[in-house]
Amino acid sequence: MSQAALQRLKERFPDAVTEAYTGPGGDDVALVKRESVEEVCRFLKSDPGMAFDMAPYITAVDYMGSEPRFELVYQMYSTTKNHRLRLRVGVPESEPVVRSVTPLWKGANWYERYCWDMYGIHFEGHPDMRRLYMYEEFVGHPLRKDYSLRGRQPLIPERQVDEPFRGPGPSGS
Amino acid sequence: MAEETKPAAAPPKPGPPPGPPPPRNPGLVTFTIDGREAVVKPGTNLIEAAASVGVSIPYYCYQKRLSIAANCRMCLVEMSNAPGGKLMPACQMTAAEGVAVRTDSPKVKEQQRATLEFLLVNHPVDCPICDQSGECKLQDYYMQYNATASRLDIPKVKLEKRVKLGPLVVLDQERCILCTRCVRFMSEIRKNPQLGVDNRGNHSVITTAPGEPLDDRYSGNVVDLCPVGALTSTDFRFRGRVWFLSSARSLCTGCARGCNVFLDYMRDGVYRYRPRENDLVNQEWMCDEGRLSYKPFNDGRILAARIGKSGAPRAQAVAEASRLLRAHAGQGTLALLASPVASLEDLLATALVARDGLKLSEIHVGGRPDGWQDGFLRRADQNPNRAGLEMVARAFGLAVKPAADLAAAIGSGKVKGVWAVGEDLPDPALAAALAGAGMRVVQASNEGALASAATVLLPASPAPESDGTFVNFEGRAQRFELAYWPRGESLPHWGLSAEVGRALGLTARWSSARQLFEDLGRRVADQLPGYEWSSLPSVDRRKGLIPLAAGTVDGRLPGQRERMPLDQSGNVQWSRLPSSREETP
Amino acid sequence: MSKATQTAILPAPAAAGPLDAPFPTKRMLVNLGPSHPAMHGTVRAVVELDGEAVHSMRLDIGFLHRGFEKSCENVTWTQVFPYTDRLNYVSSIMNNVGYALAVEKLAGLQIPERAQYLRVITSELHRICDHLTLISAMGLELGAMTVLIYGMEARDLIWDRLTELCGARLTSNYARVGGVSRDVPPGWNEKVLRTLDRAEELRVEIDRLLTRNRIVIDRTRGTGVMSREDAIDYGFTGPCLRASGVSYDVRKASPYLVYDRVEFDVPVGSNGDNFDRYLMRMEEMKQSDRIVRQCLEQMQPGAIAADDSRYVLPPKPEVYGSIEGAMAHFKIIMEGIQVPAGEAYAYVEAANGELGFYAVSDGGGRPYKLGVRAPGWNMLMGLPQMMEGRLLADLIPTFDTINMIGGEVEQ
């Protein structure tokens, strides 16, 4: 499907792309090092031959017990070239930080917030690194494999709001 | 004159035929299986050799501790040195130097499919009522190697369905695939050939001699060995589905051998024991009495504290108990009766409180009375931790005294108060004597003579409800892991002793058995060289979901984690999974 | 009166006095809270209003988060289907199909032709239902309640057909790994054609009521505009992306199932505003109707699931009558189908856009991870940008036309 794109990516970033293969069903996958995520994504977006202009679908997988523990998955698509590519980025548990790609694609914003909320992977350079689904006082990251299925969250006191009609607004005030 | 022809010089004698080339790895055998190179000791059969490189060959009748029968024909593989291209049984063939073995060729796959089809021809449609569902080799192999519809259009052979072979074993003759593992176990391992095969062909059945029961004291092991649901345990029959059971790695508490077991439990209690493999302790076997020794964990439990005859909250009972203990200790009329059924951690905490809080210098040994012993597994001493108790006493400088001494001391009036940790009594004379003591603080998990006569009764929780260590009669320390949290208001003995100690003014607070062992275990570390407490994970470090039970006879855990290679802590080893990727050109 | 007297009566325009001074206005924070009739699903929008204009807007989601991914990690592969139903609950079959395609990609399964046709037919019927829901809701919220009634009638008729097939109106649970769960009842094909005729009549009625309606055009034309570049940047897909001028439809770009054997057109807009998005959906309903009719013609009798006992339940007579069937049934139900280890991403064109499922298998009977790329998510992300500077009243048609379904956005 997108073999050519995969090959070009591998040639352009020989150290950053540790492995490139075609998985079941013809998905083209490249394993990318964590430090080079931003560089690789910038190339993928701006290079006319790659032209991955659509915001990627970003999710993460918790391979608990293996090192690196988390794996970020970026599923890319190009509307002009109609080819797809998947990037898998290993994120270790000891340092779960990756550069954000929100400056490149606005649509990556909430996906990265979701990864922070659910897995605890922090994105440097993200404009609004907050939890997405869960409330702010939530303890833990639910989609991690060691998050208990039968746990209970601690009870939290009600939020203090100065005026009933004034909570934190969109501009923060 | 005729030409003299000298007789031609004799042609040089041919030397001996060239021998086989020397092995690539001297002393070992090198061969390939499915293209992977395997290096094994000579004499290793192919099933073990294949397992060592990650190739699994299916089998029913093979068992590594029994003789080779090769009657199931499930393990047939293609070998490059087979005569006439015949498929050879991998359990019987040993590896030879340079041989190429294939388990994935179409011929082998067809053979596996056909063998299963034959085995299933007369197998009854019993899955809904068969106990083995979920841990049945027929089910597992069918999905992996056959997965085709039945071609049978005649009625199946009808045999007897509920033959009570012995007090613990029930036979269903229709389900039996005649692998003869049970027969071989009884005759080779137990040296007591109570089982044999009767009749011929389709009507062959496993049977005992006419009128004789299968009453060997280790008969329960044939239930574990049976790969299908032919032999089932009368104790476990119809009690629960194995995929709902969780497994904890535990130790049998029936005698001082400490056979390694899987403790299968569900929410409401323990359902059964299955032996765990340990070459040094119990190989893969356990005795029937030990197999049933889990019952006190469920029945007759004490779950609430008592002061006198009336119930009381545990905190109040602990306060009352410590008051009484302090009073008697102050007058020097207190004695400690510790049971060697308690774990090492329980005894460490108790000894600490006894020596530092109550200023005691002697520890009387209670425990269960002696039972029977044989040369196979069972020990006469029915207490799992006697060696551990002696170690603790030595570490804390407490003199070990037999229970008879305590009876005498009570009789003579020297001892008026007893702190009993554990409710087992080694002889009835002691029970009578204890009635004479004025005060009895008892920490007990089950109702019994001692518990009903207690002045203050504290509810203790037995082995499955805490992590801990037992030291068996050989001095071998073994870990068992927590299965479920203590029920009711009970606490493990170390928790109760800690509460008593705190009421006496000591700083004794441990949040888990692991922390306790880190704190106090140093004192016995010299007597337990090389013992790793974290050889099993502690409850606060266990990750992921609790694995389902239903081990196959090989000990693998099926269900969600079936094909996952796990490391010792129960984590998945992703690097060992076969990759499903295609290589990019 | 003469001009001179006129001007004498009115005061001369003096310098601006205090009455003409601009009012110091305060921006008002309004909470369009999670339970609000116009907020589809439970979404909280905090808008800062300057008069009636929206100065900025912040969305707060997560009120419908039910832990879809975590739940799926703890059930077998087949037990995930009812969970997928409840993602985009107005067009649930497309969720089922997307998930089934992901698992079949991992397992390398080929599904029979009849199953493919059935999946396409039911997907398109649910696509019509989804668009009808959206248009009816939009009409209702713009004040045209009749449209709601007509749309509901059409939707109900289609649901009746689907009930006869799947057993449920909304949560169909129809697809299975390896095919579909049951075959059509007798006479279903003709009934579907008659239902489509009636639905087409109602669609034409709705078209007549809305498309050239002054009020609708005033409220939707030019509101909720998303430019083409921004739409791609946000990751819009489906009718919303096509309304902004990008002709990307998964069914044409990478055809799956039998979409390459049927003829249909894909409408593309140009303005990227609410009206264009509405027009996309109207036209797509017509095209879906076309697809269903062609599929019903082309579909041949045959098997509805792959013939592989490792993935598909054997027929009941075999389960009760033979040990092989009993064992296959047992293992599939209790342990789950054993999907080979690996990871795959499969995508379908759902009513809202590209619905993707990212499935990771550890070789066992339960998913190790199941991620959903919900199409509505991206549109919701772009909503604050679409609303900035617009009137609050524009929020209503915008929220309608982006078709944010709470279930898929919040999983």
Side-chain angles (χ1 to χ4, degrees):
Chain A
M1 230 170 274
S2 342
Q3 297 269 359
L6 191 63
Q7 281 302 99
R8 264 197 72 212
L9 180 67
K10 200 166 170 198
E11 284 154 20
R12 176 85 167 69
F13 293 96
D15 340 287
V17 175
T18 49
E19 213 182 317
Y21 65 94
T22 305
D27 290 351
D28 296 300
V29 188
L31 270 69
V32 177
K33 283 216 205 106
R34 185 167 59 108
E35 302 80 33
S36 337
V37 162
E38 200 181 7
E39 214 192 318
V40 170
C41 287
R42 189 166 292 121
F43 167 69
L44 287 175
K45 176 166 185 190
S46 53
D47 181 84
M50 304 296 245
F52 286 104
D53 48 356
M54 185 171 279
Y57 165 56
I58 309 177
T59 185
V61 191
D62 179 3
Y63 292 108
M64 191 169 75
S66 101
E67 192 50 44
R69 176 171 175 182
F70 300 109
E71 208 172 68
L72 266 182
V73 179
Y74 294 75
Q75 181 73 36
M76 313 242 153
Y77 176 69
S78 162
T79 53
T80 45
K81 301 253 182 284
N82 193 22
H83 55 196
R84 290 177 191 269
L85 191 60
R86 186 149 72 231
L87 299 180
R88 287 171 60 182
V89 180
V91 177
E93 187 180 358
S94 49
E95 208 198 325
V97 184
V98 186
R99 288 290 309 168
S100 163
V101 298
T102 306
L104 293 171
W105 295 283
K106 284 191 275 229
N109 188 321
W110 276 13
Y111 289 119
E112 294 182 339
R113 279 177 67 187
Y114 164 89
C115 289
W116 160 245
D117 190 5
M118 295 287 136
Y119 289 94
I121 300 177
H122 190 88
F123 290 84
E124 258 176 3
H126 191 276
D128 187 16
M129 190 90 268
R130 283 183 296 141
R131 284 181 181 277
L132 185 66
Y133 285 149
M134 294 293 129
Y135 49 95
E136 281 306 315
E137 298 87 342
F138 191 86
V139 173
H141 299 280
L143 277 179
R144 291 190 174 192
K145 290 286 178 184
D146 49 4
Y147 184 84
S148 160
L149 287 170
R150 294 200 197 136
R152 296 197 73 105
Q153 283 285 319
L155 295 174
I156 50 169
E158 225 176 286
R159 269 191 211 149
Q160 287 307 311
V161 176
D162 301 323
E163 287 177 38
F165 287 141
R166 279 221 165 262
S171 29
S173 52
Chain B
M1 208 160 342
E3 237 186 33
E4 285 185 67
T5 45
K6 270 209 180 116
K13 255 211 191 71
R24 272 218 300 183
N25 298 303
L28 299 169
V29 177
T30 312
F31 69 108
T32 61
I33 175 154
D34 283 351
R36 302 184 206 191
E37 187 175 273
V39 181
V40 294
K41 291 210 285 276
T44 312
N45 64 48
L46 284 183
I47 293 188
E48 301 292 336
S52 72
V53 288
V55 174
S56 69
I57 299 180
Y59 54 88
Y60 288 112
C61 63
Y62 168 70
Q63 219 282 349
K64 64 172 175 249
R65 295 172 210 277
L66 302 175
S67 66
I68 306 286
N71 58 38
C72 72
R73 311 315 280 175
M74 195 64 205
C75 62
L76 297 182
V77 294
E78 215 172 78
M79 293 178 70
S80 58
N81 62 345
K86 279 199 320 184
L87 298 177
M88 308 302 285
C91 60
Q92 198 170 37
M93 301 306 292
T94 51
E97 181 71 24
V99 167
V101 177
R102 289 228 72 91
T103 69
D104 53 2
S105 70
K107 204 162 155 193
V108 173
K109 291 273 169 238
E110 173 54 26
Q111 178 63 39
Q112 287 166 340
R113 193 209 62 75
T115 306
L116 267 168
E117 190 174 8
F118 278 128
L119 284 171
L120 293 173
V121 152
N122 280 315
H123 198 82
V125 188
D126 270 0
C127 290
I129 54 168
C130 178
D131 283 324
Q132 200 88 358
S133 256
E135 50 182 7
C136 173
K137 295 287 263 313
L138 275 181
Q139 280 183 345
D140 296 342
Y141 290 157
Y142 169 78
M143 294 305 281
Q144 288 175 42
Y145 299 106
N146 186 316
T148 56
S150 167
R151 296 192 281 178
L152 185 72
D153 51 4
I154 54 170
K156 300 195 181 209
V157 169
K158 285 209 179 332
L159 298 167
E160 286 196 46
K161 299 286 285 180
R162 280 182 296 274
V163 179
K164 196 162 155 64
L165 285 184
L168 197 58
V169 180
V170 175
L171 167 68
D172 185 315
Q173 293 175 346
E174 286 181 0
R175 298 177 194 165
C176 177
I177 57 169
L178 292 157
C179 67
T180 62
R181 273 186 182 184
C182 51
V183 174
R184 282 176 281 144
F185 170 76
M186 292 308 296
S187 76
E188 294 160 19
I189 307 277
R190 286 298 302 141
K191 314 266 194 294
N192 185 3
Q194 291 186 324
L195 290 176
V197 182
D198 200 12
N199 280 337
R200 298 191 292 183
N202 263 345
H203 298 268
S204 308
V205 292
I206 301 287
T207 182
T208 52
E212 298 294 320
L214 176 64
D215 57 3
D216 190 277
R217 286 174 137 151
Y218 293 79
S219 62
N221 291 300
V222 302
V223 175
D224 296 322
L225 281 173
C226 185
V228 300
L231 293 167
T232 47
S233 153
T234 43
D235 175 58
F236 183 64
R237 215 163 135 80
F238 301 145
R239 295 235 343 258
R241 278 310 198 183
V242 298
W243 48 70
F244 294 135
L245 298 174
S246 308
S247 273
R249 288 159 287 193
S250 187
L251 302 168
C252 173
T253 51
C255 75
R257 167 98 37 190
C259 296
N260 290 193
V261 297
F262 282 113
L263 186 147
D264 291 344
Y265 62 98
M266 244 197 278
R267 292 182 133 235
D268 52 338
V270 183
Y271 276 69
R272 63 174 182 180
Y273 275 153
R274 280 176 299 134
R276 210 167 17 121
E277 190 176 341
N278 187 330
D279 265 327
L280 304 168
V281 178
N282 64 318
Q283 293 83 58
E284 283 178 66
W285 323 120
M286 31 178 336
C287 65
D288 290 355
E289 214 169 299
R291 212 175 267 275
L292 299 176
S293 65
Y294 68 85
K295 292 196 184 287
F297 299 153
N298 299 334
D299 314 318
R301 284 286 302 278
I302 297 170
L303 295 175
R306 290 207 284 264
I307 301 182
K309 287 273 176 273
S310 52
R314 190 181 72 219
Q316 189 189 353
V318 166
E320 175 68 10
S322 61
R323 185 185 68 80
L324 292 169
L325 289 173
R326 192 188 295 120
H328 279 267
Q331 297 165 10
T333 53
L334 183 65
L336 169 65
L337 178 68
S339 167
V341 179
S343 70
L344 200 63
E345 289 76 6
D346 297 335
L347 294 168
L348 282 169
T350 306
L352 181 78
V353 172
R355 192 189 64 175
D356 294 348
L358 299 169
K359 311 289 184 265
L360 294 174
S361 58
E362 291 175 342
I363 183 167
H364 301 267
V365 179
R368 301 176 187 144
D370 276 356
W372 57 276
Q373 176 162 323
D374 69 0
F376 193 56
L377 283 181
R378 185 86 185 179
R379 303 292 305 172
D381 181 11
Q382 300 198 76
N383 304 294
N385 201 21
R386 189 179 290 274
L389 192 151
E390 285 163 9
M391 285 181 189
V392 168
R394 231 171 287 143
F396 278 85
L398 298 168
V400 175
K401 291 278 156 65
D405 280 14
L406 178 60
I410 297 176
S412 68
K414 261 193 356 180
V415 167
K416 299 208 184 65
V418 173
W419 181 25
V421 174
E423 75 276 5
D424 317 281
L425 292 171
D427 64 78
L430 183 55
L434 278 173
M439 183 279 289
R440 295 163 294 281
V441 170
V442 178
Q443 293 178 196
S445 57
N446 290 76
E447 296 285 0
L450 192 49
S452 31
T455 323
V456 177
L457 177 66
L458 299 174
S461 51
E465 299 175 24
S466 163
D467 290 312
T469 312
F470 286 141
V471 184
N472 78 352
F473 73 106
E474 304 165 315
R476 189 192 308 278
Q478 306 187 93
R479 257 295 307 280
F480 59 91
E481 68 177 355
L482 179 144
Y484 46 90
W485 293 110
R487 295 167 55 193
E489 281 218 325
S490 65
L491 279 183
H493 284 293
W494 57 261
L496 289 174
S497 300
E499 287 197 343
V500 168
R502 282 200 293 281
L504 290 173
L506 300 176
T507 50
R509 183 179 292 278
W510 304 286
S511 59
S512 66
R514 174 174 64 92
Q515 204 195 5
L516 190 157
F517 197 82
E518 274 169 16
D519 190 11
L520 298 178
R522 292 178 245 120
R523 302 175 192 229
V524 285
D526 53 331
Q527 301 183 63
L528 297 170
Y531 175 55
E532 267 288 327
W533 199 93
S534 30
S535 57
L536 282 184
S538 110
V539 64
D540 53 337
R541 288 231 182 100
R542 195 188 320 204
K543 296 182 191 177
L545 307 173
I546 298 176
L548 297 174
T552 58
V553 182
D554 316 66
R556 284 181 308 141
L557 298 173
Q560 179 183 8
R561 304 279 179 214
E562 175 166 359
R563 286 177 182 72
M564 302 297 280
L566 301 176
D567 67 11
Q568 210 179 29
S569 327
N571 296 322
V572 170
Q573 294 180 304
W574 282 92
S575 50
R576 286 184 45 204
L577 268 184
S579 163
S580 65
R581 307 167 184 171
E582 312 149 20
E583 294 303 312
T584 33
Chain C
M1 224 176 285
S2 72
K3 204 160 188 264
T5 39
Q6 236 183 358
T7 46
I9 293 173
L10 296 170
L19 284 178
D20 300 311
F23 266 134
T25 51
K26 212 162 70 156
R27 290 210 202 107
M28 190 162 69
L29 267 183
V30 170
N31 179 49
L32 296 176
S35 38
H36 189 288
M39 308 297 278
H40 296 230
T42 45
V43 170
R44 175 173 175 239
V46 182
V47 288
E48 218 168 330
L49 292 177
D50 195 359
E52 210 182 315
V54 173
H55 178 258
S56 59
M57 176 174 167
R58 192 194 76 188
L59 284 169
D60 214 353
I61 66 172
F63 294 96
L64 194 56
H65 180 69
R66 297 156 295 179
F68 167 79
E69 295 194 16
K70 191 95 180 166
S71 308
C72 289
E73 289 172 14
N74 289 291
V75 292
T76 64
W77 291 96
T78 318
Q79 286 175 313
V80 170
F81 280 105
Y83 283 113
T84 57
D85 269 342
R86 286 144 175 85
L87 285 173
N88 184 336
Y89 34 73
V90 287
S91 55
S92 52
I93 290 193
M94 291 191 265
N95 306 103
N96 292 345
V97 169
Y99 169 68
L101 286 175
V103 182
E104 284 155 13
K105 207 167 175 181
L106 273 176
L109 269 184
Q110 297 299 323
I111 64 172
E113 212 178 81
R114 187 173 169 86
Q116 294 185 27
Y117 274 108
L118 281 170
R119 281 185 182 179
V120 168
I121 291 172
T122 44
S123 295
E124 293 303 320
L125 285 175
H126 257 188
R127 190 191 308 278
I128 299 178
C129 289
D130 197 324
H131 291 333
L132 278 172
T133 311
L134 181 148
I135 290 174
S136 315
M138 189 180 95
L140 176 70
E141 283 160 21
L142 294 180
M145 197 137 102
T146 317
V147 168
L148 176 79
I149 309 295
Y150 288 170
M152 293 299 109
E153 182 185 340
R155 199 178 65 164
D156 250 40
L157 288 169
I158 300 181
W159 277 351
D160 280 347
R161 299 289 81 75
L162 286 170
T163 312
E164 286 161 14
L165 179 60
C166 317
R169 282 145 51 95
L170 210 53
T171 51
S172 42
N173 191 15
Y174 185 53
R176 292 283 178 272
V177 177
V180 291
S181 60
R182 48 175 84 80
D183 209 342
V184 302
W188 192 78
N189 293 17
E190 291 68 40
K191 275 187 178 173
V192 167
L193 289 171
R194 287 207 300 277
T195 305
L196 283 178
D197 290 337
R198 176 74 185 132
E200 178 64 17
E201 280 175 24
L202 288 163
R203 193 193 66 78
V204 166
E205 270 303 312
I206 296 176
D207 195 24
R208 280 201 214 119
L209 283 172
L210 287 182
T211 309
R212 293 174 43 178
N213 184 311
R214 181 79 248 160
I215 300 176
V216 170
I217 294 184
D218 273 349
R219 287 206 59 186
T220 57
R221 192 80 41 253
T223 58
V225 179
M226 182 60 89
S227 71
R228 187 203 156 104
E229 291 73 31
D230 276 342
I232 300 179
D233 213 31
Y234 270 109
F236 277 33
T237 46
C240 297
L241 181 64
R242 295 197 278 279
S244 298
V246 181
S247 91
Y248 166 54
D249 185 328
V250 180
R251 297 174 293 175
K252 291 286 193 195
S254 14
Y256 56 97
L257 295 176
V258 292
Y259 280 110
D260 46 356
R261 297 189 216 175
V262 291
E263 279 181 29
F264 62 102
D265 301 318
V266 172
V268 180
S270 45
N271 297 340
D273 60 5
N274 286 335
F275 193 61
D276 271 10
R277 290 196 272 268
Y278 155 77
L279 286 176
M280 298 298 108
R281 308 211 195 238
M282 288 301 277
E283 186 59 28
E284 274 186 22
M285 283 203 285
K286 213 158 89 175
Q287 298 301 320
S288 290
D289 177 298
R290 221 171 130 195
I291 296 176
V292 175
R293 284 177 204 270
Q294 288 174 63
C295 283
L296 285 172
E297 265 177 50
Q298 293 178 14
M299 189 164 71
Q300 302 294 320
I304 52 157
D307 187 22
D308 192 337
S309 265
R310 289 170 304 160
Y311 295 106
V312 177
L313 289 177
K316 270 294 192 268
E318 268 183 50
V319 170
Y320 291 138
S322 75
I323 181 68
E324 286 88 345
M327 290 200 293
H329 182 98
F330 241 74
K331 293 293 267 187
I332 291 178
I333 299 270
M334 290 320 297
E335 278 183 15
I337 60 183
Q338 309 286 319
V339 175
E343 28 108 53
Y345 178 73
Y347 40 93
V348 293
E349 176 77 15
N352 246 358
E354 175 187 322
L355 174 66
F357 282 89
Y358 177 65
V360 179
S361 166
D362 61 1
R366 301 178 185 189
Y368 190 77
K369 152 136 185 138
L370 188 64
V372 181
R373 187 220 182 266
W377 173 304
N378 302 78
M379 272 81 88
L380 199 59
M381 240 198 287
L383 187 66
Q385 179 173 327
M386 288 195 266
M387 283 310 300
E388 226 154 34
R390 323 302 278 133
L391 299 178
L392 184 61
D394 294 337
L395 180 61
I396 306 304
T398 314
F399 217 81
D400 277 320
T401 51
I402 62 175
N403 201 21
M404 185 227 64
I405 306 282
E408 71 182 355
V409 169
E410 306 194 15
Q411 295 163 18

